[in-house]
Amino acid sequence: MKPVGEHTRRSILVVSRHAHPGSSLPRSALDTALAAAAFDQPVTLLFQGEGLLQLLPAQDSRAAGVRNLRKVIDSLPLYDIETVYVDAIAAAAFGIARDSLPASARWLDTAGVRQLLASHDHVLGF
Amino acid sequence: MLADSAFDPEGFLRDLRDWTPDVAAQIAAEENIQLTPAHWEIVDLLREYYLQFDSSPAMRPLVKWVAQRLGPDKGKSIYLLSLFPGSPAKLGSKIAGLPKPDNCL
Amino acid sequence: MLLHTLSRSPAHAALRDCLAVLAPGDALLLLGDGVYAALAGSEAAALLAASGADLFVLDADAALAGVRDCLMPQATLVDDDGFVALSERYSRQLAWY
């Protein structure tokens, strides 16, 4: 395989801000991130607003015939997506405790979120 | 032997609860693969992956997952290709009774 | 610096989420139902004005919604060419919907 040139690797930030399973957008956001990672593009995920509810660990989605998105999110390190970012202000608003989120989650305040948005070549909102 | 109606047009099992080791052998035979202990090791890992992550792996995470669990010698594309020619993630998932990987490249 | 686009009405969480990250120097283009956020005197308009971002409203959508003549003074109407020009000016674009 030939080395991938600098110009062909663009950093992508996927912003996921809808709740699962009421919306299919969270699934699309994850599929986009996984596909980009499979193409060897550097991908970062940010869960903002109600999107962070996708990270709750005890989803039992079997009966509903939809994926347990937290389980899929837990596979991200195998796609070399090592960190997911979480909007700390939304987490506080929803009463989500840190220990219920993946160990790889990193918490960002507003300045941190802005910094993340500014530091990627492409930003995709879902 | 499961009837044809248990499989989708691409040969993936429609309901993974129908899966048994015999079904795996049946699917493998369709693909001209005779399952050996080396194959079973990967098939079992694929089923474990599905339970843990609620998805079938693409090639890259499969290689990494196998490397983590069975060591670097087996966690290599070339080794997996020798067992499941063409597309190990797709073929392995099929034999393991899992849905087709979403991001199978 | 980003170009944000907002296409949901101000009652939707999209506005709140967008406001949480909207920074001075960013641009926000309101389109679709998003144009209602620029209604003069509204809560949303006050929040948008305080954000320090440059505010734009898609002319055709504002006309369609019937709000073209009652928009906050800080908002600038743009046509499709103006939208394209904004997209060219900002390398990153984020859609809120």
Side-chain angles (χ1 to χ4, degrees):
Chain A
M1 215 194 287
K2 73 176 171 58
V4 180
E6 185 71 25
H7 59 287
T8 63
R9 277 172 63 88
R10 294 297 200 87
S11 62
I12 300 165
L13 175 67
V14 173
V15 182
S16 189
R17 42 165 295 272
H18 286 84
H20 166 80
S23 164
S24 61
L25 287 165
R27 177 73 201 277
S28 300
L30 267 182
D31 284 348
T32 301
L34 296 182
F39 274 112
D40 205 27
Q41 303 297 305
V43 187
T44 308
L45 269 154
L46 166 66
F47 294 92
Q48 201 216 357
E50 66 177 30
L52 74 99
L53 300 171
Q54 296 166 46
L55 295 163
L56 290 176
Q59 302 170 34
D60 183 5
S61 44
R62 193 140 308 194
V66 294
R67 294 250 164 103
N68 177 330
L69 285 196
R70 169 59 186 272
K71 285 188 172 182
V72 181
I73 290 163
D74 283 340
S75 76
L76 291 175
L78 291 168
Y79 287 80
D80 293 322
I81 302 174
E82 302 290 348
T83 309
V84 298
Y85 293 90
V86 177
D87 169 3
I89 292 162
F94 282 106
I96 304 299
R98 298 200 174 206
D99 60 6
S100 61
L101 299 195
S104 61
R106 203 172 297 169
W107 296 63
L108 294 178
D109 59 11
T110 299
V113 171
R114 285 178 180 164
Q115 169 61 27
L116 202 64
L117 292 173
S119 62
H120 286 77
D121 294 319
H122 296 288
V123 184
L124 300 173
F126 288 90
Chain B
M1 289 281 283
L2 280 181
D4 283 353
S5 58
F7 302 94
D8 75 7
E10 287 188 79
F12 286 84
L13 203 56
R14 290 186 195 276
D15 186 342
L16 81 156
R17 287 170 298 188
D18 286 341
W19 188 90
T20 63
D22 284 344
V23 170
Q26 179 186 343
I27 300 169
E30 288 280 334
E31 302 285 347
N32 298 312
I33 291 173
Q34 177 73 43
L35 293 178
T36 66
H39 291 95
W40 277 113
E41 200 171 43
I42 304 301
V43 168
D44 288 342
L45 270 190
L46 275 162
R47 290 186 62 81
E48 213 178 299
Y49 184 102
Y50 189 80
L51 277 180
Q52 191 163 338
F53 300 122
D54 208 8
S55 51
S56 306
M59 186 60 184
R60 181 193 186 118
L62 175 61
V63 168
K64 210 166 166 179
W65 176 244
V66 172
Q68 282 178 7
R69 308 298 299 272
L70 302 176
D73 289 345
K74 291 180 176 172
K76 284 201 172 83
S77 304
I78 195 148
Y79 173 74
L80 297 173
L81 279 161
S82 73
L83 295 172
F84 304 98
S87 176
K90 190 176 164 191
L91 200 49
S93 293
K94 190 188 259 188
I95 293 169
L98 309 181
K100 184 180 170 183
D102 292 321
N103 302 294
C104 199
L105 303 170
Chain C
M1 292 202 302
L2 275 90
L3 170 61
H4 304 261
T5 61
L6 174 70
S7 55
R8 292 289 204 125
S9 93
H12 195 272
L15 174 67
R16 186 199 59 210
D17 292 350
C18 173
L19 281 167
V21 300
L22 198 60
D26 286 352
L28 171 64
L29 172 66
L30 303 171
L31 49 123
D33 286 354
V35 300
Y36 296 115
L39 274 173
S42 69
E43 273 177 37
L47 294 168
L48 290 176
S51 73
D54 295 327
L55 304 173
F56 301 90
V57 178
L58 198 63
D59 199 338
D61 289 353
L64 187 64
V67 299
R68 196 171 179 279
D69 297 327
C70 36
L71 296 176
M72 59 198 286
Q74 298 91 334
T76 305
L77 286 166
V78 293
D79 57 12
D80 287 347
D81 289 342
F83 189 172
V84 172
L86 282 172
S87 301
E88 287 170 347
R89 198 181 316 156
Y90 294 86
S91 58
R92 281 179 292 273
Q93 191 170 325
L94 180 52
W96 302 93
Y97 53 91

